[in-house]
Amino acid sequence: MKERAEAKKNIATKELRRMMEVVNSQRKAGNQFIPKDLLNDLSSRFIINVPEEERVDLIRLCFQIELAHWFYLDFYCEENPKLPKTALKDFIRIIFGHIPFLQRYTPSEVDTVLADWRDYKKAVPTYGAIILDQDLKNVLLVQSFVYKTSWGFPKGKVNKDEQPHHCAIREVLEETGFDITDLLDEDVYLEHHFNDQLIRLYIVTDVPSDAHFQPQTRCEIKGCEWFVVNTLPMRKDDVVKPNCLKPNNFFMVMPFVKQLKRWISSRMAELEIEALRQQQIFAQLTKNEYAKFQEGLATPSETRVRHEKNTYSPPPRMIKARKEKSKAQQPDDRSAKYNKKTNPDVSKTSVTKKPSTSNNTNDSFVISKTWQNFSLDCDHLTATFNISLRQAPLPKKTIKSAVF
C-alpha cells in the first residue's frame, strides 16, 4: 500500500511540475496564455497525425512544430491581436508540455533537442535565385519581416527528396510571388558556404523591371525592392547608397556581390558579340526575308543560310560574258555548209566513227562531240578571272620596191 501511495505521489508531482513548466513557458512568451483549444487544434493539424516513424525522430518533429508556429502567427494572431506572439523556442517548449507522448521529456532534454535541431538546420542546403532585370543593372532583394533592416536574396531550405532547382523555384514563388520556372537555367548559379552550410543561388535574367511582386507567405517577407548592382557593398567598410542603409543590412548579400559583378561583365561581353553577329546577318537579308524574321517565321541565321544557298547572283561582268558565249556557240549557215563539205559522212547527231580493222594508216580517227565546235573565248576568260592576256606583236608592213 505504501509503495502504491508513493508511486501515485510521484506521478502527481511530475504532472504538477509539467504544468508549472507549461505555465512558465507561456509567461515567458508574454505573460499571457495560449488557449488550450488552440493548442489542441495546432497539435492535431501538424503533430499528432504524423506517421509513427516520424514521431520517434525529434528533429523531424521540430520541423512540424515550426510549421504549427508559422500557422499560429499567420492566422490566429492576425485574427486576434491579443494572443501572445511567442518565439519559436518558447512555442516548442509549450508543445512539448501539451502533447501527451512528448510530456516524458524534461526541460533540459527539450533544450538539448532544440540545440541539435538548430545544428541540423545549419547543415541543410539553401537554394534561391539572383533575379536581374533586362539590362543586368538591377537586382531584386527581399526584406525580412522579423529582421526589418536586413535585405537578402529570395531563398530557403530544401525539403526532403526535393531537387535544388525545384527548391529555388518554390522559395522564390513563396517570397516574391514571381514564377521563374521558364527563366531558370540549372547550370548557371553562384555558390557560397556559411559555417558549413551550402547556399546556391541560380542567376535569373530578363525579368521586367515593372513586374509585380507580392509575397505569398505571412510574417516572413515584408517587401521586395530593386537595388542597383554597382551600389551593393562587397565589404563592411563600403559606402551604401542610399545612405540610410549600412553594409550590415546586406550581410547575406555581400559574399555574392563580387562574383555577381564578374558574371555580369562576362555576360555583357557575350551579348555585345552576339549583337554584332546579328547586325552582320541583318545587313545581308533582303526585305522579304527581314519581314519573315519580324513575323517570327524564321531566325536570322536560318534566313541567312537560305539566302546563301538559293539567291546567289554572279557578278555583272560574268553574266555579260555568259551571254556573249551563248551567242557565239550558235552555228550560222556558213559553218553548216563548211561541215558538210569537209565531212559529209558525219551526221548532225552522231559524230563518232568506228575505227577500221584494216592495216590502212589513213583510217579516220574518232571525233569527240565536245571538241566539234571548240573555240577559245579569250574575252570570256578575261572577264571571268580578271586577267590580261599578252597580245602578239603586229606584223611589220613591208614596202615592195617599184619595178621600173
Side-chain angles (χ1 to χ4, degrees):
M1 297 293 294
K2 292 181 179 181
E3 294 178 355
R4 292 181 180 178
E6 291 178 358
K8 292 181 179 180
K9 184 177 180 180
N10 293 334
I11 293 174
T13 303
K14 291 182 179 179
E15 183 68 19
L16 181 62
R17 186 181 300 172
R18 184 190 63 79
M19 293 177 62
M20 291 300 297
E21 290 174 356
V22 173
V23 172
N24 292 333
S25 299
Q26 294 191 359
R27 284 178 178 176
K28 291 180 181 179
N31 295 326
Q32 295 186 25
F33 298 97
I34 299 178
K36 190 175 181 180
D37 57 339
L38 296 185
L39 292 176
N40 291 335
D41 181 64
L42 294 172
S43 300
S44 61
R45 282 176 182 267
F46 298 96
I47 303 166
I48 295 177
N49 295 324
V50 298
E52 186 66 26
E53 59 272 12
E54 293 189 6
R55 291 186 183 181
V56 181
D57 188 357
L58 296 180
I59 300 297
R60 180 61 184 169
L61 203 61
C62 286
F63 282 102
Q64 293 297 121
I65 299 176
E66 185 181 31
L67 294 176
H69 180 248
W70 290 345
F71 188 88
Y72 170 74
L73 294 177
D74 292 346
F75 293 96
Y76 289 140
C77 292
E78 289 291 330
E79 294 177 358
N80 187 5
K82 296 182 179 180
L83 291 175
K85 295 183 178 181
T86 61
L88 178 59
K89 60 180 180 180
D90 296 328
F91 187 83
I92 292 177
R93 295 191 182 102
I94 293 173
I95 293 296
F96 266 81
H98 179 75
I99 298 177
F101 69 87
L102 297 177
Q103 294 175 359
R104 64 177 183 270
Y105 296 100
T106 61
S108 60
E109 293 176 344
V110 174
D111 293 338
T112 304
V113 172
L114 279 172
D116 295 340
W117 180 58
R118 289 170 182 168
D119 294 338
Y120 178 80
K121 287 184 68 176
K122 293 179 180 179
V124 176
T126 300
Y127 301 100
I130 299 176
I131 300 177
L132 298 171
D133 63 352
Q134 297 172 336
D135 298 330
L136 302 179
K137 295 181 179 179
N138 300 303
V139 62
L140 184 72
L141 300 180
V142 295
Q143 186 179 18
S144 174
F145 188 86
V146 179
Y147 307 100
K148 298 182 180 180
T149 60
S150 177
W151 291 88
F153 299 107
K155 62 184 184 301
K157 298 185 184 298
V158 64
N159 292 331
K160 185 178 180 181
D161 300 330
E162 187 180 21
Q163 295 295 329
H165 63 283
H166 290 164
C167 175
I169 294 172
R170 175 180 56 81
E171 290 292 340
V172 171
L173 183 61
E174 292 177 358
E175 296 187 5
T176 66
F178 188 80
D179 190 4
I180 60 172
T181 304
D182 299 332
L183 301 176
L184 185 140
D185 187 351
E186 300 180 26
D187 299 327
V188 182
Y189 56 82
L190 302 179
E191 286 185 348
H192 192 81
H193 287 80
F194 287 92
N195 299 324
D196 298 333
Q197 182 188 21
L198 172 65
I199 297 180
R200 176 185 296 180
L201 301 177
Y202 294 91
I203 300 179
V204 178
T205 60
D206 296 331
V207 178
S209 57
D210 58 348
H212 179 68
F213 301 104
Q214 181 64 41
Q216 297 184 354
T217 57
R218 298 183 179 182
C219 301
E220 184 177 359
I221 299 299
K222 185 179 180 181
C224 307
E225 188 174 338
W226 290 103
F227 284 82
V228 180
V229 177
N230 291 331
T231 61
L232 295 178
M234 293 187 293
R235 295 178 299 272
K236 294 182 179 180
D237 55 349
D238 289 345
V239 179
V240 183
K241 296 180 182 180
N243 297 327
C244 59
L245 298 176
K246 299 179 180 180
N248 290 335
N249 300 129
F250 303 93
F251 175 75
M252 298 298 292
V253 177
M254 286 189 292
F256 294 94
V257 175
K258 187 176 182 180
Q259 302 179 56
L260 178 59
K261 289 182 178 180
R262 189 182 304 146
W263 183 88
I264 291 176
S265 300
S266 175
R267 181 58 180 165
M268 291 293 289
E270 293 177 359
L271 292 177
E272 289 179 1
I273 295 174
E274 181 66 19
L276 291 175
R277 192 178 70 86
Q278 294 291 344
Q279 290 178 2
Q280 294 175 356
I281 294 176
F282 287 144
Q284 300 174 358
L285 296 181
T286 62
K287 186 176 180 180
N288 293 334
E289 290 170 344
Y290 185 74
K292 289 182 179 180
F293 166 72
Q294 286 187 327
E295 294 175 0
L297 301 178
T299 61
S301 58
E302 293 176 351
T303 308
R304 177 56 186 160
V305 170
R306 292 198 297 268
H307 176 77
E308 292 178 352
K309 288 184 177 180
N310 302 330
T311 62
Y312 171 74
S313 178
R317 61 186 181 186
M318 187 178 293
I319 297 176
K320 183 178 179 181
R322 288 180 180 176
K323 291 181 179 179
E324 293 176 354
K325 182 180 179 179
S326 61
K327 291 180 181 179
Q329 289 180 353
Q330 293 179 359
D332 53 4
D333 296 334
R334 290 178 295 177
S335 61
K337 292 179 181 180
Y338 177 78
N339 291 332
K340 289 181 180 180
K341 290 180 180 180
T342 56
N343 195 2
D345 296 334
V346 177
S347 63
K348 294 182 179 180
T349 58
S350 177
V351 295
T352 305
K353 184 177 180 180
K354 295 183 180 180
S356 176
T357 56
S358 63
N359 296 330
N360 188 3
T361 57
N362 294 328
D363 291 341
S364 61
F365 55 86
V366 178
I367 302 175
S368 176
K369 184 178 180 179
T370 307
W371 295 92
Q372 182 180 3
N373 296 324
F374 173 75
S375 63
L376 183 61
D377 192 350
C378 295
D379 295 335
H380 185 201
L381 293 174
T382 303
T384 303
F385 299 102
N386 193 18
I387 60 176
S388 60
L389 300 178
R390 291 183 297 177
Q391 296 180 356
L394 296 174
K396 296 182 180 181
K397 295 182 178 180
T398 57
I399 302 175
K400 297 182 179 180
S401 58
V403 179
F404 294 97

